[in-house]
Amino acid sequence: MSVVKWIGGILGFMTAGPLGALAGVVIASFFEQSLNSFADGGSDGSNGSYRNTYESSYYDRYGRQSRVNMGQRNSFLFSILVLASYIIRADGKVMHSEMEYVRQFLRSNFGPEAVTEGNQILNRLFEEQKRRDAQQPGSYHNVVMECCQQMARNMSYSQRLQMLSFLAQICKCDGAVVAPEINALRSVARALQLSDAEVDSMLNLQDAGTNVEAAYKVLEISPNATDDEVRKAYRKLALKHHPDKVATLGEDVKKAAEKKFQEINAAKDLIYKVRGMK
């Protein structure tokens, strides 16, 4: 029942719409009481107790931030897992390396408690994906696209880019990015109102400090670009990926964004070095 600490606190924008419906499915699998009772805090007060535990833990770790920020954070975390459940099974199988990457990501960015809770949520989402697709093939895809549209309406551009970066790393973590994964990632990105160029940028991020071809893809420009175009592309990229733009989600999310920002700088540095730019 510890899963309620994530999706039983302040829900933010995911209280309604397709994300809220999926959250309800997850919650229902852990509680026998009705969703109405859950929403009201539980007739026996148990849900309120878990909610208070979650809030205290959050505030102790991140300081007395606003309830709005907490709602954004909860929605962001659950959204990550919904999209991860779709990307991981894009090739028809769940790889150990992909699941382990998610666990490591949760552990390093959100703490050890998030690993257990995130695992519970992911497994329930996998079950829901199989159930829906058995009834009607492609049904889960449609739900995920609707969720992406809800995210696009409620998340900032930079928050969506941070999410895309995480999903791209899931695709890469087993050493081979296959066509179904790329197609799924592009579908998600478009529904999030992000571009194919941004997908390519995030897929090449890890190699951009040593591979000049990857570096150009990260900056979303051609190797034939002028030096002035390179500088403009870097400034544009640095602005939209700046870690401060996701600071409302918590210091841990900001730290993940800082790592991505360092990799973008490494891409720029390599291109500047190859071109003899200063």
Side-chain angles (χ1 to χ4, degrees):
M1 293 195 300
S2 63
V3 69
V4 76
K5 295 181 184 178
W6 253 22
I7 56 178
I10 300 168
L11 299 179
F13 70 81
M14 60 175 267
T15 52
L19 274 173
L22 279 180
V25 167
V26 173
I27 291 168
S29 69
F30 291 101
F31 296 95
E32 294 182 354
Q33 66 192 62
S34 70
L35 292 180
N36 286 336
S37 175
F38 174 86
D40 292 335
S43 58
D44 62 355
S46 60
N47 184 60
S49 174
Y50 274 103
R51 182 175 299 170
N52 291 337
T53 300
Y54 178 88
E55 290 181 8
S56 297
S57 174
Y58 181 89
Y59 286 137
D60 287 344
R61 186 172 181 185
Y62 303 109
R64 295 284 165 176
Q65 298 190 36
S66 72
R67 293 169 72 88
V68 172
N69 289 0
M70 205 172 157
Q72 288 176 345
R73 177 184 172 82
N74 286 8
S75 296
F76 182 82
L77 294 177
F78 186 70
S79 296
I80 279 179
L81 292 178
V82 168
L83 298 186
S85 73
Y86 177 67
I87 295 297
I88 287 173
R89 294 195 78 245
D91 57 358
K93 53 191 175 183
V94 177
M95 299 290 291
H96 172 76
S97 56
E98 294 168 334
M99 291 296 292
E100 185 58 28
Y101 177 81
V102 174
R103 285 190 283 266
Q104 289 176 358
F105 176 86
L106 293 173
R107 184 179 296 107
S108 61
N109 290 289
F110 307 112
E113 191 174 64
V115 178
T116 300
E117 295 167 9
N119 219 46
Q120 287 177 300
I121 295 171
L122 259 183
N123 286 330
R124 185 62 189 90
L125 289 169
F126 288 145
E127 291 172 9
E128 180 65 9
Q129 183 173 5
K130 285 189 258 187
R131 186 190 70 80
R132 285 177 179 266
D133 287 345
Q135 292 179 344
Q136 182 179 348
S139 174
Y140 195 72
H141 165 85
N142 295 336
V143 170
V144 169
M145 294 302 104
E146 291 172 0
C147 288
C148 288
Q149 292 165 10
Q150 184 180 1
M151 295 171 204
R153 291 192 299 270
N154 291 280
M155 287 184 183
S156 72
Y157 178 51
S158 295
Q159 288 172 354
R160 284 177 276 136
L161 283 174
Q162 186 62 27
M163 190 173 295
L164 179 63
S165 173
F166 167 67
L167 297 173
Q169 297 316 307
I170 291 179
C171 293
K172 293 199 64 172
C173 68
D174 60 357
V177 183
V178 296
E181 292 174 326
I182 295 176
N183 293 337
L185 192 60
R186 292 193 192 284
S187 293
V188 164
R190 290 166 187 163
L192 288 172
Q193 298 180 14
L194 301 174
S195 69
D196 287 355
E198 285 166 330
V199 171
D200 291 338
S201 177
M202 294 299 96
L203 284 173
N204 284 275
L205 201 57
Q206 286 184 323
D207 303 322
T210 57
N211 184 314
V212 69
E213 182 180 354
Y216 278 113
K217 288 181 179 178
V218 166
L219 265 62
E220 301 174 29
I221 54 175
S222 163
N224 297 323
T226 66
D227 287 357
D228 189 48
E229 288 171 335
V230 170
R231 292 189 181 94
K232 288 180 179 178
Y234 169 70
R235 286 195 294 268
K236 179 181 178 181
L237 203 66
L239 181 63
K240 70 183 185 181
H241 286 281
H242 198 283
D244 286 347
K245 292 184 178 290
V246 295
T248 57
L249 297 175
E251 283 300 313
D252 38 23
V253 179
K254 185 179 177 182
K255 286 179 181 177
E258 287 170 351
K259 181 178 183 297
K260 178 184 63 175
F261 198 69
Q262 291 170 357
E263 291 170 330
I264 290 171
N265 280 325
K268 180 264 294 182
D269 290 343
L270 180 60
I271 292 174
Y272 274 38
K273 181 179 178 181
V274 169
R275 286 174 172 246
M277 295 171 59
K278 294 182 180 179

